[in-house]
Amino acid sequence: MQRDSLKPLHWIGSSRKDLTSFPDEVKDHLGFALFQAQSGAKHRDAKPLKGLGPGVLEVVSRHDKDTFRAVYTVRFEEAVYVLHAFQKKAKKGIATPKHAVDLIARRLAAAAKHYEENHDE
């Protein structure tokens, strides 16, 4: 796909800064997943994030016994929004912590507002 046909990628809150602090291998993995989302495709590791409705996806990347996650939305026709990027610290279970889900929900609302102000006609 040509670069000029990619959907714009918007970063909400600290998501860009957080993702850029990850190890290079993780940044490559998550970055490729975001590129595919911009292209209209879905990365093989992208899974729906439960509890936030359709179009909110999470990609998990494991590196050196650590787990990193990026959450983004393809809910909007003309843009992709990165809502959160974080290293999962909990040692028990795979569920996304409630405080992270709450933060993602607030950022999803901010993305909807940004999209409405900048993309809707």
Side-chain angles (χ1 to χ4, degrees):
M1 175 168 257
Q2 301 220 341
R3 267 213 186 282
D4 59 355
S5 61
L6 295 177
K7 293 179 182 180
L9 185 68
H10 299 287
W11 302 84
I12 303 296
S14 63
S15 58
R16 184 177 197 157
K17 180 176 84 87
D18 296 337
L19 194 142
T20 60
S21 72
F22 295 167
D24 288 342
E25 294 85 355
V26 173
K27 287 189 281 192
D28 289 346
H29 181 230
L30 299 177
F32 183 63
L34 294 172
F35 171 78
Q36 286 190 300
Q38 287 180 275
S39 303
K42 181 180 165 205
H43 190 276
R44 70 173 187 264
D45 296 333
K47 307 285 189 248
L49 184 64
K50 294 178 181 164
L52 293 172
V56 179
L57 302 167
E58 177 179 50
V59 179
V60 176
S61 186
R62 290 179 179 77
H63 174 72
D64 200 23
K65 298 183 182 179
D66 291 319
T67 302
F68 300 85
R69 296 180 180 199
V71 178
Y72 63 95
T73 184
V74 294
R75 185 176 289 179
F76 310 107
E77 187 176 334
E78 298 177 18
V80 175
Y81 286 84
V82 183
L83 304 173
H84 194 30
F86 62 103
Q87 180 179 356
K88 186 162 183 308
K89 303 278 188 178
K91 301 296 182 200
K92 291 181 2 182
I94 61 170
T96 304
K98 181 180 177 352
H99 67 87
V101 173
D102 292 344
L103 175 65
I104 293 164
R106 288 191 305 273
R107 289 182 175 179
L108 181 59
K113 181 177 181 188
H114 180 273
Y115 186 79
E116 183 179 304
E117 292 171 354
N118 294 281
H119 292 280
D120 276 355
E121 295 178 5

PDB file of all heavy atoms in Angstrom, residues 9 11 15-35 43 59-63 68-70 85:
ATOM      1  N   LEU A   9      -2.365   8.476  11.738  1.00  0.00           N
ATOM      2  CA  LEU A   9      -2.241   7.848  13.051  1.00  0.00           C
ATOM      3  C   LEU A   9      -2.159   8.956  14.094  1.00  0.00           C
ATOM      4  O   LEU A   9      -1.288   9.821  14.012  1.00  0.00           O
ATOM      5  CB  LEU A   9      -0.984   6.974  13.089  1.00  0.00           C
ATOM      6  CG  LEU A   9      -0.753   6.139  14.332  1.00  0.00           C
ATOM      7  CD1 LEU A   9      -1.816   5.043  14.439  1.00  0.00           C
ATOM      8  CD2 LEU A   9       0.631   5.508  14.291  1.00  0.00           C
ATOM      9  N   TRP A  11      -1.995   9.934  18.248  1.00  0.00           N
ATOM     10  CA  TRP A  11      -1.590   9.420  19.549  1.00  0.00           C
ATOM     11  C   TRP A  11      -2.337  10.187  20.633  1.00  0.00           C
ATOM     12  O   TRP A  11      -2.305  11.411  20.661  1.00  0.00           O
ATOM     13  CB  TRP A  11      -0.085   9.601  19.736  1.00  0.00           C
ATOM     14  CG  TRP A  11       0.719   8.924  18.673  1.00  0.00           C
ATOM     15  CD1 TRP A  11       1.030   9.424  17.441  1.00  0.00           C
ATOM     16  CD2 TRP A  11       1.299   7.626  18.734  1.00  0.00           C
ATOM     17  NE1 TRP A  11       1.778   8.501  16.743  1.00  0.00           N
ATOM     18  CE2 TRP A  11       1.959   7.395  17.510  1.00  0.00           C
ATOM     19  CE3 TRP A  11       1.335   6.632  19.713  1.00  0.00           C
ATOM     20  CZ2 TRP A  11       2.649   6.218  17.246  1.00  0.00           C
ATOM     21  CZ3 TRP A  11       2.025   5.463  19.442  1.00  0.00           C
ATOM     22  CH2 TRP A  11       2.658   5.265  18.218  1.00  0.00           C
ATOM     23  N   SER A  15       0.612   7.967  25.001  1.00  0.00           N
ATOM     24  CA  SER A  15       0.805   6.684  24.307  1.00  0.00           C
ATOM     25  C   SER A  15       2.059   6.658  23.434  1.00  0.00           C
ATOM     26  O   SER A  15       2.773   5.657  23.408  1.00  0.00           O
ATOM     27  CB  SER A  15      -0.434   6.316  23.494  1.00  0.00           C
ATOM     28  OG  SER A  15      -0.743   7.309  22.553  1.00  0.00           O
ATOM     29  N   ARG A  16       2.349   7.749  22.732  1.00  0.00           N
ATOM     30  CA  ARG A  16       3.535   7.763  21.861  1.00  0.00           C
ATOM     31  C   ARG A  16       4.808   7.709  22.684  1.00  0.00           C
ATOM     32  O   ARG A  16       5.729   6.937  22.393  1.00  0.00           O
ATOM     33  CB  ARG A  16       3.521   8.994  20.965  1.00  0.00           C
ATOM     34  CG  ARG A  16       4.667   8.996  19.984  1.00  0.00           C
ATOM     35  CD  ARG A  16       4.609  10.186  19.049  1.00  0.00           C
ATOM     36  NE  ARG A  16       5.449   9.947  17.900  1.00  0.00           N
ATOM     37  CZ  ARG A  16       5.318  10.524  16.748  1.00  0.00           C
ATOM     38  NH1 ARG A  16       4.351  11.396  16.546  1.00  0.00           N
ATOM     39  NH2 ARG A  16       6.129  10.256  15.760  1.00  0.00           N
ATOM     40  N   LYS A  17       4.883   8.536  23.705  1.00  0.00           N
ATOM     41  CA  LYS A  17       6.065   8.560  24.568  1.00  0.00           C
ATOM     42  C   LYS A  17       6.263   7.194  25.223  1.00  0.00           C
ATOM     43  O   LYS A  17       7.388   6.686  25.305  1.00  0.00           O
ATOM     44  CB  LYS A  17       5.916   9.655  25.623  1.00  0.00           C
ATOM     45  CG  LYS A  17       7.109   9.759  26.569  1.00  0.00           C
ATOM     46  CD  LYS A  17       6.967  10.904  27.535  1.00  0.00           C
ATOM     47  CE  LYS A  17       6.167  10.585  28.718  1.00  0.00           C
ATOM     48  NZ  LYS A  17       6.652  10.019  29.887  1.00  0.00           N
ATOM     49  N   ASP A  18       5.174   6.606  25.676  1.00  0.00           N
ATOM     50  CA  ASP A  18       5.265   5.303  26.332  1.00  0.00           C
ATOM     51  C   ASP A  18       5.761   4.230  25.364  1.00  0.00           C
ATOM     52  O   ASP A  18       6.652   3.452  25.704  1.00  0.00           O
ATOM     53  CB  ASP A  18       3.904   4.910  26.910  1.00  0.00           C
ATOM     54  CG  ASP A  18       3.436   5.856  28.002  1.00  0.00           C
ATOM     55  OD1 ASP A  18       4.279   6.539  28.624  1.00  0.00           O
ATOM     56  OD2 ASP A  18       2.213   5.948  28.213  1.00  0.00           O
ATOM     57  N   LEU A  19       5.204   4.200  24.164  1.00  0.00           N
ATOM     58  CA  LEU A  19       5.617   3.187  23.196  1.00  0.00           C
ATOM     59  C   LEU A  19       7.079   3.365  22.786  1.00  0.00           C
ATOM     60  O   LEU A  19       7.807   2.388  22.643  1.00  0.00           O
ATOM     61  CB  LEU A  19       4.715   3.207  21.963  1.00  0.00           C
ATOM     62  CG  LEU A  19       4.867   1.986  21.067  1.00  0.00           C
ATOM     63  CD1 LEU A  19       3.521   1.568  20.510  1.00  0.00           C
ATOM     64  CD2 LEU A  19       5.825   2.235  19.934  1.00  0.00           C
ATOM     65  N   THR A  20       7.527   4.593  22.649  1.00  0.00           N
ATOM     66  CA  THR A  20       8.913   4.805  22.228  1.00  0.00           C
ATOM     67  C   THR A  20       9.920   4.415  23.303  1.00  0.00           C
ATOM     68  O   THR A  20      11.096   4.263  23.006  1.00  0.00           O
ATOM     69  CB  THR A  20       9.168   6.258  21.779  1.00  0.00           C
ATOM     70  OG1 THR A  20       8.891   7.145  22.858  1.00  0.00           O
ATOM     71  CG2 THR A  20       8.330   6.620  20.564  1.00  0.00           C
ATOM     72  N   SER A  21       9.455   4.207  24.530  1.00  0.00           N
ATOM     73  CA  SER A  21      10.364   3.781  25.602  1.00  0.00           C
ATOM     74  C   SER A  21      10.554   2.256  25.629  1.00  0.00           C
ATOM     75  O   SER A  21      11.387   1.758  26.376  1.00  0.00           O
ATOM     76  CB  SER A  21       9.832   4.253  26.961  1.00  0.00           C
ATOM     77  OG  SER A  21       8.692   3.515  27.336  1.00  0.00           O
ATOM     78  N   PHE A  22       9.814   1.531  24.807  1.00  0.00           N
ATOM     79  CA  PHE A  22       9.893   0.072  24.791  1.00  0.00           C
ATOM     80  C   PHE A  22      11.166  -0.389  24.076  1.00  0.00           C
ATOM     81  O   PHE A  22      11.757   0.355  23.278  1.00  0.00           O
ATOM     82  CB  PHE A  22       8.679  -0.526  24.081  1.00  0.00           C
ATOM     83  CG  PHE A  22       7.358  -0.294  24.770  1.00  0.00           C
ATOM     84  CD1 PHE A  22       6.180  -0.555  24.104  1.00  0.00           C
ATOM     85  CD2 PHE A  22       7.272   0.179  26.075  1.00  0.00           C
ATOM     86  CE1 PHE A  22       4.943  -0.357  24.714  1.00  0.00           C
ATOM     87  CE2 PHE A  22       6.050   0.382  26.697  1.00  0.00           C
ATOM     88  CZ  PHE A  22       4.883   0.110  26.015  1.00  0.00           C
ATOM     89  N   PRO A  23      11.577  -1.653  24.308  1.00  0.00           N
ATOM     90  CA  PRO A  23      12.721  -2.210  23.565  1.00  0.00           C
ATOM     91  C   PRO A  23      12.470  -2.170  22.058  1.00  0.00           C
ATOM     92  O   PRO A  23      11.322  -2.231  21.598  1.00  0.00           O
ATOM     93  CB  PRO A  23      12.797  -3.657  24.059  1.00  0.00           C
ATOM     94  CG  PRO A  23      12.099  -3.660  25.384  1.00  0.00           C
ATOM     95  CD  PRO A  23      11.025  -2.606  25.283  1.00  0.00           C
ATOM     96  N   ASP A  24      13.549  -2.083  21.277  1.00  0.00           N
ATOM     97  CA  ASP A  24      13.442  -1.952  19.820  1.00  0.00           C
ATOM     98  C   ASP A  24      12.606  -3.056  19.184  1.00  0.00           C
ATOM     99  O   ASP A  24      11.799  -2.782  18.292  1.00  0.00           O
ATOM    100  CB  ASP A  24      14.824  -1.920  19.178  1.00  0.00           C
ATOM    101  CG  ASP A  24      15.568  -0.623  19.446  1.00  0.00           C
ATOM    102  OD1 ASP A  24      14.913   0.384  19.817  1.00  0.00           O
ATOM    103  OD2 ASP A  24      16.800  -0.609  19.297  1.00  0.00           O
ATOM    104  N   GLU A  25      12.770  -4.293  19.627  1.00  0.00           N
ATOM    105  CA  GLU A  25      12.019  -5.402  19.036  1.00  0.00           C
ATOM    106  C   GLU A  25      10.523  -5.227  19.264  1.00  0.00           C
ATOM    107  O   GLU A  25       9.703  -5.531  18.399  1.00  0.00           O
ATOM    108  CB  GLU A  25      12.482  -6.750  19.614  1.00  0.00           C
ATOM    109  CG  GLU A  25      13.899  -7.130  19.247  1.00  0.00           C
ATOM    110  CD  GLU A  25      14.958  -6.536  20.184  1.00  0.00           C
ATOM    111  OE1 GLU A  25      14.613  -5.725  21.089  1.00  0.00           O
ATOM    112  OE2 GLU A  25      16.138  -6.861  20.006  1.00  0.00           O
ATOM    113  N   VAL A  26      10.161  -4.729  20.434  1.00  0.00           N
ATOM    114  CA  VAL A  26       8.759  -4.491  20.761  1.00  0.00           C
ATOM    115  C   VAL A  26       8.218  -3.341  19.920  1.00  0.00           C
ATOM    116  O   VAL A  26       7.115  -3.426  19.363  1.00  0.00           O
ATOM    117  CB  VAL A  26       8.594  -4.213  22.275  1.00  0.00           C
ATOM    118  CG1 VAL A  26       7.170  -3.798  22.602  1.00  0.00           C
ATOM    119  CG2 VAL A  26       9.014  -5.435  23.085  1.00  0.00           C
ATOM    120  N   LYS A  27       8.996  -2.258  19.807  1.00  0.00           N
ATOM    121  CA  LYS A  27       8.568  -1.124  18.983  1.00  0.00           C
ATOM    122  C   LYS A  27       8.344  -1.567  17.544  1.00  0.00           C
ATOM    123  O   LYS A  27       7.372  -1.144  16.915  1.00  0.00           O
ATOM    124  CB  LYS A  27       9.614   0.001  19.024  1.00  0.00           C
ATOM    125  CG  LYS A  27       9.638   0.746  20.335  1.00  0.00           C
ATOM    126  CD  LYS A  27      10.509   1.974  20.260  1.00  0.00           C
ATOM    127  CE  LYS A  27      11.957   1.620  20.370  1.00  0.00           C
ATOM    128  NZ  LYS A  27      12.824   2.799  20.585  1.00  0.00           N
ATOM    129  N   ASP A  28       9.222  -2.425  17.025  1.00  0.00           N
ATOM    130  CA  ASP A  28       9.058  -2.919  15.656  1.00  0.00           C
ATOM    131  C   ASP A  28       7.758  -3.720  15.516  1.00  0.00           C
ATOM    132  O   ASP A  28       7.007  -3.538  14.556  1.00  0.00           O
ATOM    133  CB  ASP A  28      10.245  -3.798  15.245  1.00  0.00           C
ATOM    134  CG  ASP A  28      11.521  -3.013  15.026  1.00  0.00           C
ATOM    135  OD1 ASP A  28      11.470  -1.766  14.932  1.00  0.00           O
ATOM    136  OD2 ASP A  28      12.594  -3.651  14.959  1.00  0.00           O
ATOM    137  N   HIS A  29       7.507  -4.609  16.454  1.00  0.00           N
ATOM    138  CA  HIS A  29       6.316  -5.453  16.406  1.00  0.00           C
ATOM    139  C   HIS A  29       5.043  -4.619  16.496  1.00  0.00           C
ATOM    140  O   HIS A  29       4.133  -4.732  15.662  1.00  0.00           O
ATOM    141  CB  HIS A  29       6.379  -6.476  17.545  1.00  0.00           C
ATOM    142  CG  HIS A  29       5.235  -7.418  17.588  1.00  0.00           C
ATOM    143  ND1 HIS A  29       4.522  -7.663  18.733  1.00  0.00           N
ATOM    144  CD2 HIS A  29       4.651  -8.189  16.634  1.00  0.00           C
ATOM    145  CE1 HIS A  29       3.561  -8.541  18.490  1.00  0.00           C
ATOM    146  NE2 HIS A  29       3.612  -8.872  17.218  1.00  0.00           N
ATOM    147  N   LEU A  30       4.975  -3.753  17.496  1.00  0.00           N
ATOM    148  CA  LEU A  30       3.774  -2.941  17.685  1.00  0.00           C
ATOM    149  C   LEU A  30       3.636  -1.905  16.571  1.00  0.00           C
ATOM    150  O   LEU A  30       2.527  -1.631  16.108  1.00  0.00           O
ATOM    151  CB  LEU A  30       3.811  -2.263  19.058  1.00  0.00           C
ATOM    152  CG  LEU A  30       3.841  -3.212  20.262  1.00  0.00           C
ATOM    153  CD1 LEU A  30       3.939  -2.421  21.564  1.00  0.00           C
ATOM    154  CD2 LEU A  30       2.649  -4.148  20.269  1.00  0.00           C
ATOM    155  N   GLY A  31       4.750  -1.357  16.130  1.00  0.00           N
ATOM    156  CA  GLY A  31       4.717  -0.384  15.035  1.00  0.00           C
ATOM    157  C   GLY A  31       4.185  -0.996  13.751  1.00  0.00           C
ATOM    158  O   GLY A  31       3.413  -0.363  13.023  1.00  0.00           O
ATOM    159  N   PHE A  32       4.575  -2.236  13.463  1.00  0.00           N
ATOM    160  CA  PHE A  32       4.069  -2.898  12.267  1.00  0.00           C
ATOM    161  C   PHE A  32       2.566  -3.153  12.377  1.00  0.00           C
ATOM    162  O   PHE A  32       1.824  -2.986  11.407  1.00  0.00           O
ATOM    163  CB  PHE A  32       4.820  -4.200  11.999  1.00  0.00           C
ATOM    164  CG  PHE A  32       4.385  -4.883  10.739  1.00  0.00           C
ATOM    165  CD1 PHE A  32       4.561  -4.269   9.507  1.00  0.00           C
ATOM    166  CD2 PHE A  32       3.785  -6.124  10.780  1.00  0.00           C
ATOM    167  CE1 PHE A  32       4.146  -4.889   8.331  1.00  0.00           C
ATOM    168  CE2 PHE A  32       3.368  -6.752   9.608  1.00  0.00           C
ATOM    169  CZ  PHE A  32       3.550  -6.135   8.383  1.00  0.00           C
ATOM    170  N   ALA A  33       2.109  -3.513  13.586  1.00  0.00           N
ATOM    171  CA  ALA A  33       0.663  -3.715  13.795  1.00  0.00           C
ATOM    172  C   ALA A  33      -0.096  -2.410  13.541  1.00  0.00           C
ATOM    173  O   ALA A  33      -1.157  -2.415  12.912  1.00  0.00           O
ATOM    174  CB  ALA A  33       0.402  -4.222  15.213  1.00  0.00           C
ATOM    175  N   LEU A  34       0.452  -1.288  13.993  1.00  0.00           N
ATOM    176  CA  LEU A  34      -0.194   0.010  13.765  1.00  0.00           C
ATOM    177  C   LEU A  34      -0.159   0.377  12.281  1.00  0.00           C
ATOM    178  O   LEU A  34      -1.131   0.916  11.755  1.00  0.00           O
ATOM    179  CB  LEU A  34       0.476   1.092  14.618  1.00  0.00           C
ATOM    180  CG  LEU A  34       0.294   0.920  16.129  1.00  0.00           C
ATOM    181  CD1 LEU A  34       1.157   1.917  16.889  1.00  0.00           C
ATOM    182  CD2 LEU A  34      -1.175   1.047  16.517  1.00  0.00           C
ATOM    183  N   PHE A  35       0.938   0.086  11.612  1.00  0.00           N
ATOM    184  CA  PHE A  35       1.030   0.330  10.167  1.00  0.00           C
ATOM    185  C   PHE A  35      -0.049  -0.464   9.428  1.00  0.00           C
ATOM    186  O   PHE A  35      -0.710   0.058   8.532  1.00  0.00           O
ATOM    187  CB  PHE A  35       2.421  -0.039   9.652  1.00  0.00           C
ATOM    188  CG  PHE A  35       2.522  -0.031   8.158  1.00  0.00           C
ATOM    189  CD1 PHE A  35       2.635   1.160   7.454  1.00  0.00           C
ATOM    190  CD2 PHE A  35       2.487  -1.219   7.439  1.00  0.00           C
ATOM    191  CE1 PHE A  35       2.717   1.172   6.067  1.00  0.00           C
ATOM    192  CE2 PHE A  35       2.563  -1.225   6.059  1.00  0.00           C
ATOM    193  CZ  PHE A  35       2.678  -0.022   5.372  1.00  0.00           C
ATOM    194  N   HIS A  43      -3.373  -6.884  12.024  1.00  0.00           N
ATOM    195  CA  HIS A  43      -2.207  -7.703  12.368  1.00  0.00           C
ATOM    196  C   HIS A  43      -2.672  -9.017  12.981  1.00  0.00           C
ATOM    197  O   HIS A  43      -3.690  -9.061  13.685  1.00  0.00           O
ATOM    198  CB  HIS A  43      -1.334  -6.924  13.359  1.00  0.00           C
ATOM    199  CG  HIS A  43       0.000  -7.541  13.606  1.00  0.00           C
ATOM    200  ND1 HIS A  43       0.186  -8.540  14.519  1.00  0.00           N
ATOM    201  CD2 HIS A  43       1.205  -7.283  13.054  1.00  0.00           C
ATOM    202  CE1 HIS A  43       1.473  -8.884  14.537  1.00  0.00           C
ATOM    203  NE2 HIS A  43       2.115  -8.129  13.644  1.00  0.00           N
ATOM    204  N   VAL A  59      -2.682  -5.269  20.910  1.00  0.00           N
ATOM    205  CA  VAL A  59      -1.604  -6.126  20.432  1.00  0.00           C
ATOM    206  C   VAL A  59      -0.664  -6.346  21.605  1.00  0.00           C
ATOM    207  O   VAL A  59      -0.248  -5.395  22.275  1.00  0.00           O
ATOM    208  CB  VAL A  59      -0.834  -5.488  19.254  1.00  0.00           C
ATOM    209  CG1 VAL A  59       0.299  -6.392  18.807  1.00  0.00           C
ATOM    210  CG2 VAL A  59      -1.776  -5.208  18.098  1.00  0.00           C
ATOM    211  N   VAL A  60      -0.335  -7.610  21.851  1.00  0.00           N
ATOM    212  CA  VAL A  60       0.564  -7.976  22.938  1.00  0.00           C
ATOM    213  C   VAL A  60       1.897  -8.387  22.330  1.00  0.00           C
ATOM    214  O   VAL A  60       1.946  -9.130  21.349  1.00  0.00           O
ATOM    215  CB  VAL A  60      -0.023  -9.144  23.766  1.00  0.00           C
ATOM    216  CG1 VAL A  60       0.949  -9.590  24.838  1.00  0.00           C
ATOM    217  CG2 VAL A  60      -1.357  -8.747  24.375  1.00  0.00           C
ATOM    218  N   SER A  61       2.970  -7.879  22.919  1.00  0.00           N
ATOM    219  CA  SER A  61       4.315  -8.219  22.468  1.00  0.00           C
ATOM    220  C   SER A  61       5.118  -8.676  23.679  1.00  0.00           C
ATOM    221  O   SER A  61       5.169  -7.975  24.696  1.00  0.00           O
ATOM    222  CB  SER A  61       4.973  -6.997  21.812  1.00  0.00           C
ATOM    223  OG  SER A  61       6.211  -7.348  21.245  1.00  0.00           O
ATOM    224  N   ARG A  62       5.728  -9.828  23.560  1.00  0.00           N
ATOM    225  CA  ARG A  62       6.546 -10.351  24.659  1.00  0.00           C
ATOM    226  C   ARG A  62       8.021 -10.215  24.287  1.00  0.00           C
ATOM    227  O   ARG A  62       8.413 -10.490  23.157  1.00  0.00           O
ATOM    228  CB  ARG A  62       6.185 -11.804  24.927  1.00  0.00           C
ATOM    229  CG  ARG A  62       4.810 -11.920  25.545  1.00  0.00           C
ATOM    230  CD  ARG A  62       4.387 -13.357  25.799  1.00  0.00           C
ATOM    231  NE  ARG A  62       3.072 -13.395  26.413  1.00  0.00           N
ATOM    232  CZ  ARG A  62       1.934 -13.202  25.758  1.00  0.00           C
ATOM    233  NH1 ARG A  62       1.944 -12.937  24.475  1.00  0.00           N
ATOM    234  NH2 ARG A  62       0.776 -13.257  26.391  1.00  0.00           N
ATOM    235  N   HIS A  63       8.792  -9.783  25.281  1.00  0.00           N
ATOM    236  CA  HIS A  63      10.227  -9.594  25.054  1.00  0.00           C
ATOM    237  C   HIS A  63      10.964  -9.805  26.368  1.00  0.00           C
ATOM    238  O   HIS A  63      10.659  -9.153  27.374  1.00  0.00           O
ATOM    239  CB  HIS A  63      10.499  -8.182  24.521  1.00  0.00           C
ATOM    240  CG  HIS A  63      11.945  -7.867  24.395  1.00  0.00           C
ATOM    241  ND1 HIS A  63      12.751  -8.416  23.420  1.00  0.00           N
ATOM    242  CD2 HIS A  63      12.749  -7.070  25.135  1.00  0.00           C
ATOM    243  CE1 HIS A  63      13.975  -7.961  23.565  1.00  0.00           C
ATOM    244  NE2 HIS A  63      14.000  -7.148  24.604  1.00  0.00           N
ATOM    245  N   PHE A  68       4.412  -6.339  26.808  1.00  0.00           N
ATOM    246  CA  PHE A  68       4.089  -4.971  26.434  1.00  0.00           C
ATOM    247  C   PHE A  68       2.804  -5.002  25.621  1.00  0.00           C
ATOM    248  O   PHE A  68       2.567  -5.933  24.856  1.00  0.00           O
ATOM    249  CB  PHE A  68       5.216  -4.360  25.600  1.00  0.00           C
ATOM    250  CG  PHE A  68       6.529  -4.326  26.326  1.00  0.00           C
ATOM    251  CD1 PHE A  68       7.376  -5.424  26.318  1.00  0.00           C
ATOM    252  CD2 PHE A  68       6.914  -3.190  27.022  1.00  0.00           C
ATOM    253  CE1 PHE A  68       8.585  -5.399  26.989  1.00  0.00           C
ATOM    254  CE2 PHE A  68       8.124  -3.153  27.698  1.00  0.00           C
ATOM    255  CZ  PHE A  68       8.963  -4.261  27.683  1.00  0.00           C
ATOM    256  N   ARG A  69       1.994  -3.955  25.770  1.00  0.00           N
ATOM    257  CA  ARG A  69       0.722  -3.906  25.058  1.00  0.00           C
ATOM    258  C   ARG A  69       0.514  -2.534  24.437  1.00  0.00           C
ATOM    259  O   ARG A  69       0.900  -1.519  25.004  1.00  0.00           O
ATOM    260  CB  ARG A  69      -0.436  -4.190  26.019  1.00  0.00           C
ATOM    261  CG  ARG A  69      -0.376  -5.584  26.602  1.00  0.00           C
ATOM    262  CD  ARG A  69      -1.534  -5.819  27.534  1.00  0.00           C
ATOM    263  NE  ARG A  69      -1.456  -7.171  28.076  1.00  0.00           N
ATOM    264  CZ  ARG A  69      -2.471  -7.792  28.622  1.00  0.00           C
ATOM    265  NH1 ARG A  69      -3.650  -7.198  28.709  1.00  0.00           N
ATOM    266  NH2 ARG A  69      -2.326  -9.009  29.095  1.00  0.00           N
ATOM    267  N   ALA A  70      -0.127  -2.547  23.286  1.00  0.00           N
ATOM    268  CA  ALA A  70      -0.587  -1.319  22.649  1.00  0.00           C
ATOM    269  C   ALA A  70      -2.063  -1.489  22.348  1.00  0.00           C
ATOM    270  O   ALA A  70      -2.483  -2.537  21.850  1.00  0.00           O
ATOM    271  CB  ALA A  70       0.185  -1.037  21.363  1.00  0.00           C
ATOM    272  N   ALA A  85      -0.274   2.581  25.541  1.00  0.00           N
ATOM    273  CA  ALA A  85       0.840   1.647  25.378  1.00  0.00           C
ATOM    274  C   ALA A  85       1.454   1.473  26.758  1.00  0.00           C
ATOM    275  O   ALA A  85       1.743   2.458  27.443  1.00  0.00           O
ATOM    276  CB  ALA A  85       1.863   2.196  24.394  1.00  0.00           C
TER     277      ALA A  85
END
